Amino acid sequence: MKTLVVKCFLLLALVCSCRAADSIWQLCNTNSNISASSQVSKNIDSLLATLVSKTPSKGFMTTTSSSYNNKEKVYGLAQCRGDISNTDCSTCIQDAAKKIREVCPNQSDSRILYDFCFLRYSQENFIGKLDTGAGLIYFNVANVTETDPKKFDNELGALFDKIRSEAVLPKSKGLGKGKTKLTPFVTLNGLVQCTRDLSELDCAQCFATAVGSFMTTCHNKKGCRVLYSSCYVRYEFYPFYFPLDPTKTGPSVGRISSVHLSP
């Protein structure tokens, strides 16, 4: 059973920024506290250095770091969004590795998500396991007015059926993206991505859970992002994935609400 906590704030929509300077979700497990001088903490630093150096070349990396005692072993994963460059991937992973140690300095189970990348580590082996236990939803508080709700639901569903089917194919590496015309002047843009350690079945299951929020929390909203440790889904009325359409721009300011998902 998931509990929901809602809060509202203003979010600046910088569509063309190539540096994701601010994290959009971070989680520090307070049940995994460690001391800054512990061997586990040193293993985390070593693991982060490996992720920073090796993730950008392929956009994805899993690794472990341990000393003589396996009780101090740490598992790590980093992944960049599949539509960005190696350079932007490198920048994002560097930012994530630095920020996660600042916000979760004494936790061995931590994760952080940026627009362009995701990074996670834990003493428990989470690699290859589906995780939708905790997450976050962002949605535009404005309702869709460009078309009737039923047509919007149908177009949104059809678009995400298509890009989810694309994403689970091995060649897609967990990424699916696409767009559809709602009217001659309004385009709906969508993107999905799951972490590349998941099986095809687990990836599809994660997407199904996330997209389910489109008909509940985000129903008839002009934009929505559902974030889990294992996958990420998003739709907007402006282009946000690469390559961007130079003839289109996003809203300068939109009022966004967020909903925390917890086990």
Side-chain angles (χ1 to χ4, degrees), residues 173-247:
K173 299 178 180 179
L175 177 72
K177 58 182 181 175
K179 56 187 177 181
T180 188
K181 285 278 190 182
L182 296 179
T183 75
F185 307 103
V186 178
T187 300
L188 178 65
N189 302 270
L191 180 144
V192 300
Q193 183 162 32
C194 61
T195 55
R196 287 160 55 181
D197 59 316
L198 293 184
S199 67
E200 181 179 328
L201 180 61
D202 283 344
C203 180
Q205 185 176 336
C206 191
F207 287 152
T209 301
V211 169
S213 296
F214 291 170
M215 294 296 108
T216 54
T217 308
C218 302
H219 191 224
N220 204 40
K221 299 301 182 183
K222 284 192 171 182
C224 181
R225 281 186 275 183
V226 185
L227 319 172
Y228 286 115
S229 296
S230 289
C231 69
Y232 164 102
V233 301
R234 181 181 183 184
Y235 74 83
E236 304 288 355
F237 276 45
Y238 56 86
F240 62 89
Y241 57 76
F242 296 103
L244 291 174
D245 184 344
T247 66

Side-chain angles (χ1 to χ4, degrees), residues 32 43 50 82 102-103 115 150 215 228:
S32 66
N43 289 345
T50 300
E102 292 173 355
V103 299
D115 267 334
K150 185 175 181 179
M215 294 296 108
Y228 286 115

Side-chain angles (χ1 to χ4, degrees), residues 1-7 132-137 213 217 228 258-263:
M1 179 69 69
K2 293 183 173 65
T3 56
L4 306 184
V5 181
V6 183
K7 60 182 180 177
T132 54
L136 183 66
I137 301 175
S213 296
T217 308
Y228 286 115
S258 69
V259 178
H260 288 269
L261 305 174
S262 58

